[in-house]
Amino acid sequence: MYTISEIQDIIKPRRSYLADTKVSIHYLLYDSRKIAHEKLGIFFAFTGRQDGHLYIQDAYNKGVRNFILEKDTEQEVQMPDANILWVANSWTTLQSLAQHNRSRFQGPVIGITGSNGKTIVKEWLFQLMSPEYKIYRSPKSYNSQLGVALSLWDLSNQYNLAIIEAGISHVGEMDRLEAMIKPTFGVLTNIGIAHQQGFASKLEKTEEKLRLFKDAETLIYPAKYLEAVQIPYKPRKLSWGEEEDNQLEVYSIRKPEDGQTYVTLYYGGKTFGISVPFTDSAAMENAITCVAVMLRFGYDTALIAERIRNLLPVEMRLELKNGKNNTSVIDDSYSNDLVSLQIALDFLNQQHQHTNSILILSDIPGVTLTDEKNLNKLKRLVADRNLTQLILIGPVLRQYAEQLGVPFQCYASTADFIANLKDIEFRDATILLKGARDFHFEDISKLLVAKSHDTVLEINLNALEHNLNVYRGLVPKEVKMMAMVKAFSYGSGSFEIANLLQFNQVDYLTVAYADEGVELRNAGITLPIVVMSPDENAFESVVQHNLEPEIYSFRILHAFISFVRIKDLKNFPIHIKVDTGMHRLGFMPDEAEALIDILRQQDVVRVQSAFSHLASAANPQDNAFTAEQILKLDQFAKKLQQELGYSFLRHIAATSGIELWPSAYFDMVRLGIGMYGVEASRTDLSLQTVGVLKTNVTQIKHIPASETVGYNRHGVLHRDSKIATIKIGYADGYDRRFGNGVGKMLVNGHLVPTVGDICMDMCMLDVTDIAVSEEDEVVVFPDITAAANSIGTIPYELLVNISQRVKRVYFYE
Ligand SMILES: *Cc1c(COP(=O)(O)O)cnc(C)c1O
């Protein structure tokens, strides 16, 4: 794409060391864990919370030979065959490269921003306008400072239209995105109330978003979001809405029927109708926004209506599900291109729970493999992954199967593959399903995935990653991070969560019982794992699986020392629990001397850490008590270190401690509930929801006012009512105390109360006031903290009580 000397000319580094000026750079690398195509990539070491300079050697060892660095090190001495450019700021350098590449693009660029719907509008415009335009679009939802830069880097004049998303969460970010994207046409999807945290007000957020359109030629937007807002720039405006002064006027939106919604519109003196194959209001907004864009591009209204009628849903997320025969299935059945294939393969690589990795891949529409460049790209993608098996579906890819370097089978079509599936046994494997939409891989997915009943707990792995980084941002770099994965990761999963945490390089995992640790080891987790409550029966598995026990009493210490001695091991790591005031488990501070005596007389165990637990970190009235606990741990650890003559880690802060007590950070913090999306004490952290418990409506009934609903006739109706029965009950973890209106669930955007007692496997909702159909989706805990409060418990309990029979489905974007 660019040679290294061209890059040098563009970014004007303050110092350069070039071993090979001719090498051409195709890929931007920034994460040494995800390096593929090392020879053709350039590695950016960013500073910030994670210092990229720490990973230079790792990247170099993996074969990377081109680097952009901020820090003035003598790297050329260690890497004499590398090209190194030193810059003032790696971020601005990356962005200036993206900006440069954007400036070479000759076609128009549509820039999209808004609180929701950016990716859907982008994907729909792609569907709607592809027949006429060669469209480049940002992959997945790459819309951050990094995502936009990476998106623009791949833009080229092979295309004649680009659609780029921009997302912001703080004031000041949009100017940098605008400078890179320079949209010709601006699209605002909407302004939501979510993610308010980075902004002082909704107006401030709106104004920040509008900065994307500073130099745009046209701005397309739903009028209702910009009422009373001065648009400070001078683009042509194409607004839509119900009022007459909009260029695109919405006359009426009919009540949905058979999954279709009919909308009547008025534009340029002409009335026309569109039939949108969706029913929810968000889809209506997005579809009308797309209509407005098409009108701006001069499309005829009849053609617009025809295309809209055939709109397909957008599925952007990878789903990780349990498969049959001890398999995991990563389902990415709705799109196939080289960028999203790489993302899906990266995610496959993060999975360690099975010995085999299998890729089932359809032909890739729009990628011509007769073009050497594309073929090489595909070869490199596939070759890098330790795949054990490759299954190719479709007439095209099979011609190249031999060249991909992985054992393969080919099938002419999805139907052909399914017909042969009974003879193919997938076992102990992670299977990535990556198929273009036309191949209908969802049919394969149905056959490979274990049956689930309708209630699922959706786990958003990106949100978990985000929350982890929020807490990482609170503690200094040198403080280690222990992630609590006890109790099935607070109800959200086992190896699925641990794989992600391992990939994100936390320092420790902690489980409650040895068998939880064994399960993680069997799933290929190599991080150190602490077991909080090891009993004597579990010592064998502790030692065998290299788990590290918490030692909380003399009884357990003696027992463990004897056990390890028989095994003839030395320096087995243990973690000493100190009771500084919680009065649960642990040595009392005055037992330090006796403990030291025992530890000094042996060399079979070695203290890896000494730690304690804060009892009341969240309660300001107990601040003096908390400070005392911190002091007691400090003193205990000092004494122990002095007498033992070696150092070890000290830790006391869990989520609340991390949020409120910097003096409690010591050498490591233990993150639990916050990672799963629930702030313990603060409210300003913008955590993202990790688990969403969903079910759907099984039956709807119209019941007259005189009747009652459910057991004991507790559901007394005071009016003629519409009642929805849904498939979740106390056996699934939906507490009986949520009965009779205490619990509120979200159905089609409305909160509705329970009615009557909660049954074992079902309960009933009063949906009298809302539009609802059987099979509609129900979100069980729209706000888990409020739900917990309403029955006098805490979110922890609701999360861990979600029964194991509720299937977990994992998403990763
Ligand atoms: C559960 C637990 C934590 C994590 O607590 P959160 O409040 O969920 O962050 C930390 N340390 C110990 C000892 C625990 O048992």
Side-chain angles (χ1 to χ4, degrees):
M1 211 167 183
Y2 293 90
T3 64
I4 187 79
S5 14
E6 283 171 320
I7 288 186
Q8 189 182 22
D9 289 344
I10 299 165
I11 67 175
K12 308 203 172 36
R14 52 189 170 78
R15 180 152 80 91
S16 314
Y17 171 85
L18 295 187
D20 173 6
T21 53
K22 294 209 178 47
V23 64
S24 73
I25 305 293
H26 292 243
Y27 302 98
L28 305 181
L29 312 173
Y30 55 95
D31 184 336
S32 67
R33 299 163 305 181
K34 288 191 189 169
I35 285 175
H37 333 297
E38 57 287 343
K39 293 276 168 339
L40 300 173
I42 187 160
F43 181 85
F44 284 76
F46 295 118
T47 52
R49 166 75 199 139
Q50 305 266 42
D51 187 354
H53 295 81
L54 299 174
Y55 304 103
I56 296 171
Q57 195 60 43
D58 187 29
Y60 181 83
N61 293 344
K62 288 178 173 161
V64 178
R65 290 297 176 268
N66 303 286
F67 293 86
I68 305 262
L69 309 182
E70 262 177 40
K71 293 192 177 165
D72 270 303
T73 49
E74 303 275 300
Q75 282 301 336
E76 66 271 37
V77 181
Q78 280 118 49
M79 318 191 298
D81 59 341
N83 295 317
I84 310 174
L85 305 176
W86 285 269
V87 298
N89 182 318
S90 304
W91 274 111
T92 36
T93 301
L94 172 73
Q95 299 191 337
S96 63
L97 264 184
Q99 199 169 342
H100 180 88
N101 198 50
R102 156 69 183 100
S103 70
R104 297 206 311 187
F105 182 62
Q106 286 156 3
V109 174
I110 301 176
I112 306 180
T113 194
S115 302
N116 296 298
K118 296 184 284 294
T119 306
I120 297 198
V121 167
K122 178 189 69 185
E123 292 298 321
W124 278 358
L125 287 174
F126 180 78
Q127 288 179 25
L128 294 164
M129 293 168 59
S130 277
E132 289 75 30
Y133 294 90
K134 280 183 76 88
I135 302 177
Y136 175 80
R137 66 205 199 277
S138 17
K140 300 268 168 176
S141 34
Y142 275 27
N143 58 32
S144 63
Q145 300 289 330
L146 177 64
V148 167
L150 296 176
S151 299
L152 291 170
W153 172 255
D154 280 329
L155 179 59
S156 76
N157 285 319
Q158 285 181 48
Y159 304 95
N160 56 19
L161 173 63
I163 312 179
I164 304 292
E165 275 184 57
I168 48 163
S169 45
H170 295 283
V171 173
E173 286 189 290
M174 193 57 98
D175 283 342
R176 292 160 67 187
L177 297 183
E178 191 272 339
M180 286 192 278
I181 301 172
K182 284 285 164 211
T184 329
F185 302 99
V187 175
L188 177 75
T189 55
N190 66 11
I191 306 276
I193 43 171
H195 311 301
Q196 200 80 51
Q197 279 89 349
F199 304 93
S201 65
K202 191 167 164 180
L203 181 65
E204 187 181 72
K205 180 167 73 171
T206 306
E207 286 173 347
E208 180 71 22
K209 287 192 198 297
L210 289 176
R211 299 181 83 86
L212 177 62
F213 311 122
K214 199 165 61 144
D215 293 330
E217 181 240 276
T218 306
L219 168 57
I220 295 160
Y221 64 99
K224 67 175 173 186
Y225 294 109
L226 295 188
E227 274 167 18
V229 177
Q230 273 309 105
I231 301 173
Y233 316 111
K234 294 272 166 286
R236 211 164 122 187
K237 297 183 183 74
L238 200 173
S239 64
W240 66 262
E242 286 169 16
E243 309 300 325
E244 265 178 36
D245 56 355
N246 291 301
Q247 285 76 9
L248 174 60
E249 201 182 322
V250 181
Y251 269 170
S252 68
I253 300 182
R254 232 186 264 166
K255 205 166 153 261
E257 225 171 278
D258 297 333
Q260 299 267 337
T261 311
Y262 193 81
V263 183
T264 312
L265 299 164
Y266 179 82
Y267 179 80
K270 196 172 153 195
T271 306
F272 65 105
I274 54 169
S275 199
V276 185
F278 296 89
T279 57
D280 59 297
S281 55
M284 263 355 89
E285 274 192 5
N286 294 332
I288 297 169
T289 295
C290 289
V291 170
V293 174
M294 292 179 85
L295 287 168
R296 177 65 191 83
F297 273 77
Y299 277 83
D300 166 66
T301 52
L303 186 58
I304 293 176
E306 183 196 318
R307 297 263 167 89
I308 293 279
R309 192 166 44 242
N310 294 311
L311 268 185
L312 296 165
V314 175
E315 188 54 75
M316 298 156 298
R317 307 179 296 185
L318 298 170
E319 295 182 19
L320 173 65
K321 303 171 182 167
N322 275 328
K324 295 172 180 167
N325 301 325
N326 191 28
T327 57
S328 300
V329 177
I330 301 172
D331 195 345
D332 194 1
S333 303
Y334 294 93
S335 69
N336 202 2
D337 52 70
L338 292 177
V339 179
S340 69
L341 176 61
Q342 173 167 2
I343 295 169
L345 284 166
D346 281 343
F347 187 58
L348 176 67
N349 261 19
Q350 287 177 36
Q351 307 304 316
H352 301 283
Q353 62 268 31
H354 304 298
T355 8
N356 300 308
S357 298
I358 299 169
L359 168 62
I360 305 181
L361 182 67
S362 79
D363 284 348
I364 310 174
V367 177
T368 35
L369 293 174
T370 40
D371 180 344
E372 191 85 4
K373 232 175 88 189
N374 287 334
L375 181 62
N376 285 337
K377 208 163 170 179
L378 178 68
K379 278 198 222 163
R380 278 194 302 268
L381 271 180
V382 172
D384 284 345
R385 311 292 165 156
N386 304 321
L387 291 172
T388 35
Q389 197 182 352
L390 178 63
I391 291 172
L392 299 172
I393 296 181
V396 180
L397 273 179
R398 59 190 315 166
Q399 304 163 35
Y400 304 91
E402 303 270 357
Q403 301 182 42
L404 297 175
V406 180
F408 64 89
Q409 284 131 306
C410 299
Y411 297 90
S413 64
T414 303
D416 181 24
F417 172 69
I418 288 176
N420 285 286
L421 197 54
K422 58 183 188 309
D423 303 322
I424 312 171
E425 272 278 274
F426 296 119
R427 255 178 210 294
D428 194 19
T430 308
I431 304 167
L432 169 60
L433 277 177
K434 184 75 182 133
R437 193 179 287 276
D438 292 347
F439 283 84
H440 292 283
F441 270 24
E442 61 272 18
D443 298 341
I444 304 178
S445 166
K446 276 185 210 133
L447 297 169
L448 297 181
V449 170
K451 262 223 165 358
S452 71
H453 85 249
D454 293 336
T455 304
V456 295
L457 179 59
E458 292 187 359
I459 311 282
N460 179 340
L461 294 174
N462 298 89
L464 195 130
E465 214 165 44
H466 169 90
N467 297 339
L468 173 68
N469 287 331
V470 167
Y471 286 97
R472 278 189 157 151
L474 294 181
V475 300
K477 276 181 203 164
E478 56 284 359
V479 174
K480 293 189 189 309
M481 181 65 76
M482 174 180 265
M484 308 305 286
V485 294
K486 63 190 181 191
F488 199 58
S489 300
Y490 291 48
S492 57
S494 140
F495 57 78
E496 299 90 346
I497 304 294
N499 275 329
L500 186 81
L501 293 169
Q502 177 160 302
F503 178 73
N504 280 281
Q505 298 173 325
V506 303
D507 300 284
Y508 269 91
L509 296 177
T510 297
V511 295
Y513 296 102
D515 46 1
E516 297 174 327
V518 173
E519 191 180 335
L520 296 184
R521 283 282 180 260
N522 288 340
I525 300 298
T526 52
L527 283 177
I529 299 175
V530 172
V531 179
M532 287 197 298
S533 303
D535 59 40
E536 284 188 50
N537 301 327
F539 287 168
E540 184 65 48
S541 27
V542 164
V543 170
Q544 199 184 336
H545 293 94
N546 217 355
L547 307 174
E548 304 181 8
E550 164 184 326
I551 300 295
Y552 50 84
S553 71
F554 290 112
R555 175 180 62 79
I556 204 86
L557 177 64
H558 286 303
F560 193 65
I561 288 179
S562 319
F563 184 85
V564 178
R565 188 166 281 139
I566 294 166
K567 292 276 163 188
D568 209 12
L569 295 171
K570 295 247 180 303
N571 291 328
F572 199 92
I574 60 169
H575 299 262
I576 299 290
K577 179 72 172 282
V578 189
D579 184 351
T580 56
M582 175 83 174
H583 301 328
R584 189 169 62 178
L585 296 178
F587 293 95
M588 300 305 287
D590 64 7
E591 293 176 323
E593 266 83 33
L595 176 65
I596 289 164
D597 278 346
I598 299 169
L599 289 172
R600 282 169 58 149
Q601 283 166 29
Q602 57 80 49
D603 60 355
V604 299
V605 299
R606 184 181 166 97
V607 178
Q608 192 72 18
S609 81
F611 73 106
S612 188
H613 196 45
L614 296 175
S616 199
N619 301 311
Q621 71 272 24
D622 288 326
N623 279 355
F625 181 84
T626 301
E628 185 70 15
Q629 282 198 281
I630 296 170
L631 183 68
K632 281 180 178 161
L633 175 69
D634 191 32
Q635 289 169 341
F636 193 101
K638 268 208 186 87
K639 200 178 296 172
L640 210 59
Q641 279 188 356
Q642 243 156 37
E643 299 292 328
L644 294 180
Y646 59 85
S647 62
F648 44 75
L649 302 172
R650 300 156 302 159
H651 45 111
I652 194 167
T655 302
S656 271
I658 301 173
E659 291 180 8
L660 300 178
W661 287 89
S663 60
Y665 291 167
F666 291 104
D667 308 306
M668 179 153 78
V669 292
R670 302 190 301 267
L671 180 60
I673 193 89
M675 188 166 65
Y676 303 101
V678 182
E679 282 155 323
S681 308
R682 285 167 61 161
T683 51
D684 60 336
L685 296 177
S686 309
L687 299 185
Q688 294 177 359
T689 304
V690 172
V692 180
L693 182 59
K694 284 185 179 169
T695 185
N696 43 43
V697 175
T698 316
Q699 192 174 21
I700 295 176
K701 296 209 156 84
H702 295 270
I703 314 283
S706 53
E707 303 272 320
T708 61
V709 175
Y711 283 121
N712 307 311
R713 306 194 62 202
H714 280 163
V716 179
L717 302 181
H718 299 290
R719 55 175 180 172
D720 294 349
S721 302
K722 188 166 59 170
I723 302 297
T725 302
I726 61 168
K727 265 190 236 157
I728 187 166
Y730 58 81
D732 300 294
Y734 194 62
D735 198 293
R736 281 191 80 249
R737 288 172 288 177
F738 283 124
N740 298 296
V742 176
K744 304 213 172 25
M745 301 194 192
L746 193 69
V747 183
N748 296 335
H750 299 277
L751 280 183
V752 291
T754 58
V755 51
D757 289 356
I758 306 297
C759 311
M760 187 183 287
D761 310 308
M762 283 176 261
C763 66
M764 281 68 90
L765 300 175
D766 180 350
V767 292
T768 312
D769 298 324
I770 68 167
V772 55
S773 322
E774 291 183 356
E775 300 190 358
D776 277 1
E777 182 177 277
V778 179
V779 175
V780 179
F781 295 125
D783 178 342
I784 196 149
T785 308
N789 287 340
S790 73
I791 61 163
T793 182
I794 50 177
Y796 298 70
E797 187 182 344
L798 296 187
L799 287 172
V800 301
N801 277 352
I802 297 171
S803 137
Q804 287 305 306
R805 80 175 187 188
V806 174
K807 283 280 172 300
R808 271 69 175 167
V809 177
Y810 299 85
F811 294 105
Y812 196 65
E813 274 173 12

